[in-house]
Amino acid sequence: MTDVSQISEFGKILIFIITGIIMVCVIFFINRLLAPNNPNPEKLSSYECGEEPTGNAWLPFNPRFYVIALVFLLFDVEMVFIFPWATVFGSHEIAAQDARWGWLSLTEMFVFLGILILGLVYVWKKGDLDWIKPNPVLPQTDVIIPASLYEQLNQEQSTYTVKPFSIETAATVAATSSTATATAPAATATEPRKPMFKPAFKKPANE
């Protein structure tokens, strides 16, 4: 007669969690006893991937930092799928059932790696892996508007002067706007409003 296990699967998970918590607390306690404690301003300063912590902590970072981090996470997460593939590919039981499974899994992995390599080449050629771009790319347009027109417009805008404020001018503008708002409802009231659409009703075919 076989022995029945007195601990269920949930009990094993609970024991595993409790053991993990106890081990973490023991490691922190031993670290507190043995590790030297010599704080200084340099150790207490913030650290962000080797950048000097200067100025306020709420300053925006270089956007290339986030681009490189996202590219790294993307390829790192995709490469994780190679480990379960290697486990299944090296299984002799599956290969013994049908030899074609090995060639199929090998072909699928070559296709998968080919897609990743193409993505890496695209990011590399685009220059997103360069932390400091030596040659800034200026936007180019194919419009037919000459550059002299833009320069003329900039000169006209640069010569704009703000008119001095005066009480008489403000009173005149206010009186003009109030007169326009007072006459607008009267003009709209006299004109009949046209319907937006004309409804059309179709009679049933059996009538």
Side-chain angles (χ1 to χ4, degrees):
M1 186 174 182
T2 59
D3 296 334
V4 180
S5 178
Q6 300 295 326
I7 301 177
S8 63
E9 297 297 330
F10 292 103
K12 296 177 182 178
I13 296 174
L14 179 61
I15 293 175
F16 180 78
I17 293 174
I18 294 175
T19 305
I21 294 174
I22 293 175
M23 292 299 296
V24 170
C25 294
V26 170
I27 291 173
F28 273 106
F29 179 72
I30 295 174
N31 183 34
R32 184 69 180 225
L33 292 178
L34 300 180
N37 186 14
N38 298 320
N40 53 47
E42 186 175 358
K43 287 183 178 180
L44 297 178
S45 63
S46 60
Y47 177 78
E48 183 63 36
C49 296
E51 291 194 2
E52 292 292 336
T54 57
N56 191 4
W58 293 100
L59 292 176
F61 283 95
N62 194 328
R64 286 192 291 274
F65 170 79
Y66 300 102
V67 173
I68 294 177
L70 290 176
V71 170
F72 169 75
L73 289 177
L74 175 63
F75 286 96
D76 190 28
V77 171
E78 295 295 337
M79 293 299 290
V80 170
F81 290 103
I82 296 180
F83 292 99
W85 169 84
T87 304
V88 176
F89 182 72
S91 178
H92 298 286
E93 291 81 5
I94 298 178
Q97 296 292 330
D98 194 346
R100 293 175 297 178
W101 282 108
W103 291 105
L104 177 62
S105 58
L106 183 63
T107 305
E108 289 180 348
M109 182 49 61
F110 272 111
V111 172
F112 178 73
L113 291 178
I115 295 173
L116 288 183
I117 292 172
L118 286 177
L120 181 60
V121 170
Y122 171 76
V123 174
W124 191 1
K125 290 295 184 181
K126 197 175 179 181
D128 290 334
L129 297 180
D130 298 333
W131 179 254
I132 298 176
K133 295 185 178 181
N135 299 322
V137 179
L138 298 177
Q140 301 292 335
T141 58
D142 54 352
V143 296
I144 59 176
I145 301 176
S148 59
L149 184 60
Y150 288 102
E151 295 178 359
Q152 180 182 357
L153 181 61
N154 291 331
Q155 291 178 359
E156 292 177 357
Q157 294 294 331
S158 62
T159 57
Y160 177 78
T161 56
V162 181
K163 296 181 180 179
F165 177 77
S166 62
I167 300 177
E168 292 79 6
T169 306
T172 305
V173 172
T176 306
S177 60
S178 61
T179 305
T181 53
T183 55
T188 55
T190 55
E191 296 179 359
R193 185 177 180 183
K194 297 181 180 180
M196 299 299 293
F197 67 95
K198 185 177 181 181
F201 300 98
K202 295 183 179 179
K203 294 184 179 181
N206 55 3
E207 291 183 0

